[in-house]
Amino acid sequence: MTFARLVDQDRPAISFILDGSPIEAKRGDTLLTAIMTAGQDRLRTSEFGDGARAGFCLMGACQDCWVVVNGQGTKRACQTLAEDGMQVTRR
Ligand code: FES
């Protein structure tokens, strides 16, 4: 699953680091939106062996989108705004 940005093309660009590589995003994007619109197809790998996961509810209810932010614990990617210079690690 990837997302295509259809609106808000003119919001200011920001950049953050995903697994050691820079990712371009727009100010106001959630991490999930930023990662999926950058062409990535997963946020994490399921601990139950059923493959890649890329979020489910997209509204903070399912806990299927955990990422590690700035090395300080997990956050829901669908509820966390991307910030310039942020360090994000997928599990
Ligand atoms: S996708 Fe469900 S909590 Fe983020």
Side-chain angles (χ1 to χ4, degrees):
M1 173 176 78
T2 58
F3 292 173
R5 188 181 305 279
L6 301 178
V7 298
D8 293 339
Q9 303 281 357
D10 56 347
R11 280 188 280 136
I14 62 171
S15 177
F16 65 95
I17 303 298
L18 176 66
D19 298 334
S21 298
I23 290 265
E24 294 288 320
K26 298 287 189 185
R27 188 170 310 283
D29 283 353
T30 65
L31 286 173
L32 188 147
T33 298
I35 292 168
M36 293 294 111
T37 54
Q40 302 291 314
D41 63 355
R42 70 172 187 86
L43 286 171
R44 66 183 188 89
T45 301
S46 171
E47 55 276 272
F48 301 108
D50 55 349
R53 305 293 300 169
F56 180 71
C57 72
L58 312 185
M59 61 182 198
C62 74
Q63 306 182 30
D64 199 30
C65 63
W66 294 117
V67 292
V68 177
V69 175
N70 296 329
Q72 299 180 343
T74 54
K75 302 263 188 188
R76 288 178 175 93
C78 71
Q79 299 293 296
T80 304
L81 292 178
E83 295 177 10
D84 223 15
M86 185 181 256
Q87 301 273 339
V88 179
T89 307
R90 293 179 286 192
R91 300 188 307 167

